[in-house]
Amino acid sequence: MNKRAHASRAATLLASGAESDLPYAALELRMAMEVIAYEKLRLYAPRLPAAVLDKWQPPQAMRALLEFEPLATQNKRMRMARTTEDGTPLGPWIDLGEHRSFNVSWLRKAYNKLGSFLHVPSPRKAAQGIATAAAASSMRDDLLEILKEVEHVAASRSDLSLARTIEFNCAACESLIICNEDGARTTQRAICLDPLCAAEHYVEFSADGGVMLHLIATEFDCMACKAPVPVEDRKLAIGYEFACPECREVHVISTAHWGYSLKTNVAVKGA
C-alpha cells in the first residue's frame, strides 16, 4: 500500500469518531511515514550497503538523508526552462512539481508519539485515571495534527537527488560513510551511518583536494600496559567504562578536568 493510501485510511479511521479506531489510525500514520522515508532513501540506495539500509528506522533514515543532501528535508518547487548563456529564460517555465519532506526533529517526535499510542496504558497510568475520555480527545487532536503534515508530504509526487558525495570508512567500526561534500566542507563533520555506531569524525580538506577523516576522540594511556586507548569525545562522561584494545583491562572515567588559556598567553589554568 502506498503513502497516500495509508494517509487516507488514517483519515477514515479518525472520522469514524470511535475511540477504538484511534490506535489503528496511529498505525496507518506511522506506516505512511515509513513509506515516505524509504521512498526518499531509495534515491541513494545504489550508494549504500544493504546491511546499513536494513538497520534504519524512518527517523534514522531521514537523518542519513541530511548526510547526503543538506536540502533533502526542505520543501521546494522545481521548474525547468531553456535559457541563454547568461541564464535568461527563452520561454515559459515548465513546472515539474513540488518536493515536500518532513522536518527531521518533527518526524522523530511524531514517530515516537505514534508508537506510544500503539500500547495499552501502564497499570500506574490506568490507576491514576489517565486513560480517560479526555486522554482519548487529546490523542485524537495529536493524530489529526500529524495527519495534516503526513497528507501534505504524501501529496508530493516529486523526489530528486542532487548531492555530490564523498565516501570513507568509519574509524570506529569500518562501515562505509557517505556524506555530502558541500555539507562536510561547511560543518567539517561526518557521522557513521550505522545506527549501532554513529561515530563522529572531523573532516579535513587539503589545498590539493585531498580529504582526511579523523575520529573525534581523546586518547588515554592504559593504566596497565600504557597502550594508547582512543575514546570518542561524545562518550566522555563520569562513569563511562572503556577497555584497552591491547590488554583488555577495563577503565572507568571517575573525574573530569578542563583547561583554558588566553590565545596570547601560554599559561594554562585548571578549571
Side-chain angles (χ1 to χ4, degrees):
M1 193 174 292
N2 63 39
K3 57 192 176 186
R4 285 179 286 277
H6 283 299
S8 177
R9 286 176 62 85
T12 299
L13 289 164
L14 287 172
S16 74
E19 182 178 329
S20 59
D21 282 342
L22 296 180
Y24 298 100
L27 179 60
E28 292 290 347
L29 288 171
R30 194 171 161 102
M31 293 175 73
M33 287 181 174
E34 293 173 354
V35 172
I36 290 169
Y38 289 118
E39 277 185 357
K40 295 181 180 299
L41 198 59
R42 237 179 259 122
L43 296 171
Y44 299 89
R47 312 179 214 180
L48 299 171
V52 172
L53 281 169
D54 291 341
K55 294 177 183 177
W56 282 335
Q57 289 187 325
Q60 296 165 334
M62 298 302 279
R63 285 198 301 272
L65 279 178
L66 291 181
E67 292 296 316
F68 310 143
E69 174 56 76
L71 302 179
T73 59
Q74 293 185 14
N75 299 334
K76 47 188 174 285
R77 180 163 291 280
M78 294 166 284
R79 299 187 303 163
M80 177 180 69
R82 294 183 61 188
T83 65
T84 61
E85 291 185 1
D86 64 1
T88 303
L90 293 173
W93 288 94
I94 300 173
D95 192 357
L96 300 179
E98 184 179 6
H99 171 273
R100 298 175 183 173
S101 192
F102 296 117
N103 174 277
V104 174
S105 60
W106 180 91
L107 174 66
R108 184 187 307 112
K109 181 179 179 181
Y111 188 76
N112 290 337
K113 179 176 286 187
L114 290 173
S116 70
F117 291 158
L118 301 178
H119 305 286
V120 298
S122 67
R124 180 183 64 81
K125 289 184 177 180
Q128 293 174 347
I130 295 176
T132 62
S137 177
S138 175
M139 178 178 175
R140 183 182 300 278
D141 290 342
D142 287 338
L143 290 174
L144 288 170
E145 190 66 26
I146 293 172
L147 172 65
K148 181 179 178 181
E149 183 65 17
V150 169
E151 287 180 327
H152 175 74
V153 174
S156 173
R157 297 181 182 274
S158 299
D159 265 323
L160 74 165
S161 167
L162 301 176
R164 182 173 57 186
T165 59
I166 49 181
E167 300 181 3
F168 308 95
N169 287 324
C170 174
C173 72
E174 297 296 324
S175 295
L176 178 67
I177 293 179
I178 304 176
C179 64
N180 177 279
E181 181 176 338
D182 292 333
R185 287 183 182 275
T186 300
T187 65
Q188 297 182 311
R189 293 291 187 273
I191 300 175
C192 178
L193 299 177
D194 188 333
L196 298 179
C197 177
E200 300 174 351
H201 302 72
Y202 172 70
V203 183
E204 183 179 8
F205 292 86
S206 62
D208 62 2
V211 185
M212 294 291 293
L213 196 72
H214 311 279
L215 184 67
I216 300 178
T218 297
E219 193 170 274
F220 297 89
D221 290 331
C222 174
M223 301 186 73
C225 70
K226 305 305 179 183
V229 185
V231 178
E232 294 178 56
D233 286 2
R234 66 193 177 100
K235 296 180 178 179
L236 294 177
I238 302 298
Y240 178 72
E241 296 183 0
F242 59 93
C244 172
E246 297 295 330
C247 70
R248 308 310 302 170
E249 285 289 340
V250 177
H251 302 66
V252 61
I253 297 178
S254 55
T255 61
H257 179 82
W258 292 92
Y260 68 96
S261 66
L262 295 173
K263 286 187 176 181
T264 55
N265 192 337
V266 296
V268 178
K269 296 183 179 181

